[in-house]
Amino acid sequence: MTPPDRTAAALEITPEPEEEFAKATDYALTDEDLERAKLLIGVNTASRQRELYSVATPDAIRNWALGCGDDNPLYTDEEYGPTTRWGTQIGHGTMAGHVKTPMLGDPMPAEIKAQTKSLFRGVHVFVSGGTWEWFRPVRPDDRIFSFAGEESLEVKRSEFAGRSAVQVRRDVALDQHGDVIGVYRILRILTERKTARERGKNAAIEPAHYSDEDYERIDAIYQSERPRGAEKRFWEDVTIGDQLPPMVKGPLTTTEIIAFHAGGYGFVPYGLRASRVGYRNRKRIAPFYVRNEQGIYDVAQRVHWDSQWARAIGNPMAYDYGVMRQCWFYHHVSDWAGDDGFIEKLADSIRKFNYMGDTQFLSGEVVAKREEAGRYLVDLQLRMINQRDLETAHATATVSLPSRSAGLSPLPPTPLDLERQTATMFARHNELLAEQRAAR
């Protein structure tokens, strides 16, 4: 057997990364694809995917929160939850969209499936925001199912990538009893990678650098942060104009991205896989794998930790997931509300990238309060500003709080049409499950 050649020449990259990047980014948003995408609007199908966690075990609940940088004992301590109004540990609301057991259901109509095959192949997708509505908390050992469908499609032009498309998908999360946990509407921006790179709108942004004084500012906020916990925040004591305590996230590192994945995020639909399983995934979705500077196939998703690949699609360096900032907004509100509060809605908009090394400073303000069907509600306006003093994201949230006179606010009711649709999908799941078991 010939010994391996360990000379420098043997380690040269073949082919050159730029050639590989050029090939991987040479896709366009076509009129044909945009028309085909409209066929998916209103077509709901059961999610057959299994996430890293399919059941919200106590460990899964804890790890999701810690992956978001949230150490609230309501989420992380099995012994703490039973002392609260919930009688148990509960989950960070955002995890409801990322814990999945495969749900059985009728397949997409064959004609639509055929007409939408390879839709938007090679086009880059950014999560640019989302809206959550929650109707109950995630509880330990909830087995979470979901069904989803596209709600809308809008074509726009942007400074970053020329023509783009905005897609909104609705995901409905339900538990093993068929009860709706929440509805998640995901706003995605589809852009042409090649156009974004050629425009180079963000190319001049320099990586962040931190002095001891910078870290003193960051660490002072971290030191001041705490969940309100058992100390009740009564609705009557809240005043319009009240400020939420400051919160900070970052500086963003690859370690934070790893922690977020370890908490359970981002494993479907593409999948982060190792060795033989990774090989099979590469054969399944070949366009998702692009050679790196060593000539090694790796996932296109590495824009979140590989700055060279991020530059290939028009960004100066790697950047976070939009969902991370949604989780951070939830963390900020949850710390403020306390154990007896319930976050009913959260709508976020991601305005700028959060690059490796960036720090996000969170602030918030009470903008309205009201009583609605026995629930004592507070509306919040939230912001994230980075170390460059640029707003990178903003959000609104609605929280129910306890009342001094009326006690705990009840949970919000599930809309009747959503309840009926969910009952139909869940009944079909159980019917197909029974057929499967009978056939074994």
Side-chain angles (χ1 to χ4, degrees):
M1 183 176 179
T2 304
D5 185 350
R6 300 188 183 278
T7 64
L11 298 178
E12 289 181 358
I13 302 165
T14 306
E16 288 296 322
E18 281 300 315
E19 295 176 8
E20 190 71 15
F21 290 159
K23 181 174 67 175
T25 59
D26 193 21
Y27 297 97
L29 268 176
T30 65
D31 292 336
E32 179 190 359
D33 273 3
L34 292 168
E35 284 303 311
R36 290 194 298 143
K38 293 176 183 177
L39 298 173
L40 296 173
I41 295 175
V43 179
N44 288 295
T45 56
S47 173
R48 296 177 179 270
Q49 297 162 335
R50 185 185 299 278
E51 279 281 8
L52 177 64
Y53 297 115
S54 54
V55 176
T57 65
D59 284 344
I61 291 173
R62 181 186 73 250
N63 288 335
W64 180 269
L66 293 176
C68 301
D70 188 342
D71 58 0
N72 190 333
L74 189 61
Y75 312 129
T76 62
D77 187 347
E78 293 177 63
E79 304 302 320
Y80 179 83
T83 68
T84 70
R85 68 172 286 190
W86 309 107
T88 182
Q89 176 191 20
I90 63 171
H92 207 268
T94 55
M95 76 178 294
H98 307 285
V99 174
K100 283 187 177 69
T101 293
M103 186 175 184
L104 302 179
D106 295 321
M108 181 179 295
E111 182 180 351
I112 293 178
K113 183 177 180 180
Q115 289 180 293
T116 56
K117 185 178 180 180
S118 300
L119 187 65
F120 298 129
R121 179 177 180 269
V123 171
H124 196 73
V125 181
F126 299 95
V127 173
S128 185
T131 301
W132 261 110
E133 294 179 74
W134 289 279
F135 304 102
R136 48 145 295 186
V138 174
R139 297 176 182 273
D141 300 321
D142 273 352
R143 182 173 292 278
I144 300 178
F145 304 92
S146 72
F147 63 90
E150 300 294 338
E151 272 199 337
S152 64
L153 175 71
E154 182 182 1
V155 179
K156 290 189 171 185
R157 299 201 67 83
S158 75
E159 293 181 21
F160 174 68
R163 185 164 73 160
S164 62
V166 181
Q167 277 187 312
V168 176
R169 187 186 77 202
R170 186 192 70 160
D171 278 30
V172 179
L174 55 146
D175 67 12
Q176 66 275 17
H177 307 295
D179 295 327
V180 179
I181 296 173
V183 175
Y184 182 26
R185 289 177 170 85
I186 309 165
L187 192 153
R188 290 122 54 220
I189 307 294
L190 289 78
T191 66
E192 298 173 353
R193 292 172 177 166
K194 181 179 179 180
T195 306
R197 181 172 62 161
E198 288 172 350
R199 286 175 178 262
K201 177 175 180 286
N202 298 324
I205 295 176
E206 295 289 334
H209 184 272
Y210 293 85
S211 63
D212 290 344
E213 290 76 16
D214 293 327
Y215 257 104
E216 286 176 6
R217 177 192 177 196
I218 292 168
D219 288 352
I221 298 174
Y222 275 130
Q223 187 173 10
S224 70
E225 291 178 18
R226 68 175 184 87
R228 188 172 180 87
E231 183 184 353
K232 295 182 187 294
R233 184 178 295 281
F234 289 108
W235 180 81
E236 288 86 350
D237 298 339
V238 174
T239 302
I240 293 173
D242 284 354
Q243 302 294 306
L244 273 66
M247 179 174 279
V248 67
K249 294 288 186 179
L252 182 67
T253 62
T254 303
T255 302
E256 288 216 39
I257 299 292
I258 293 171
F260 195 51
H261 279 300
Y265 177 74
F267 289 83
V268 298
Y270 305 114
L272 303 179
R273 303 287 186 264
S275 301
R276 181 170 66 214
V277 185
Y279 155 77
R280 289 174 177 166
N281 203 44
R282 173 160 56 87
K283 294 301 181 182
R284 180 179 71 90
I285 48 173
F288 185 61
Y289 285 77
V290 183
R291 291 179 188 266
N292 65 16
E293 65 273 16
Q294 295 174 259
I296 300 168
Y297 282 109
D298 201 354
V299 293
Q301 194 171 346
R302 70 184 190 269
V303 291
H304 298 292
W305 57 86
D306 181 340
S307 288
Q308 186 168 3
W309 175 232
R311 285 191 289 273
I313 65 158
N315 272 302
M317 64 202 90
Y319 51 91
D320 73 347
Y321 292 100
V323 175
M324 289 181 77
R325 277 180 274 176
Q326 185 176 70
C327 295
W328 297 346
F329 277 131
Y330 189 97
H331 180 189
H332 197 197
V333 176
S334 176
D335 267 12
W336 175 83
D339 294 345
D340 289 340
F342 182 74
I343 302 173
E344 295 193 4
K345 294 180 181 179
L346 177 67
D348 68 282
S349 179
I350 308 300
R351 309 309 300 169
K352 293 186 181 297
F353 289 96
N354 178 28
Y355 294 113
M356 282 295 170
D358 283 1
T359 302
Q360 302 299 322
F361 298 91
L362 284 70
S363 61
E365 180 181 2
V366 176
V367 294
K369 56 183 290 191
R370 63 193 186 282
E371 186 272 331
E372 184 177 294
R375 307 195 317 281
Y376 291 83
L377 304 176
V378 173
D379 295 322
L380 304 173
Q381 184 74 49
L382 310 164
R383 300 178 73 200
M384 285 189 198
I385 296 177
N386 67 14
Q387 77 285 350
R388 301 182 186 92
D389 292 323
L390 297 174
E391 181 180 275
T392 68
H394 59 255
T396 59
T398 299
V399 188
S400 65
L401 294 176
S403 164
R404 288 188 180 278
S405 59
L408 295 173
S409 287
L411 295 177
T414 308
L416 187 58
D417 59 339
L418 176 60
E419 206 168 64
R420 288 171 176 165
Q421 186 180 40
T422 303
T424 299
M425 297 290 289
F426 192 59
R428 183 58 175 154
H429 164 79
N430 287 325
E431 181 182 343
L432 292 172
L433 184 62
E435 290 177 4
Q436 277 190 0
R437 290 172 174 169
R440 290 173 185 166

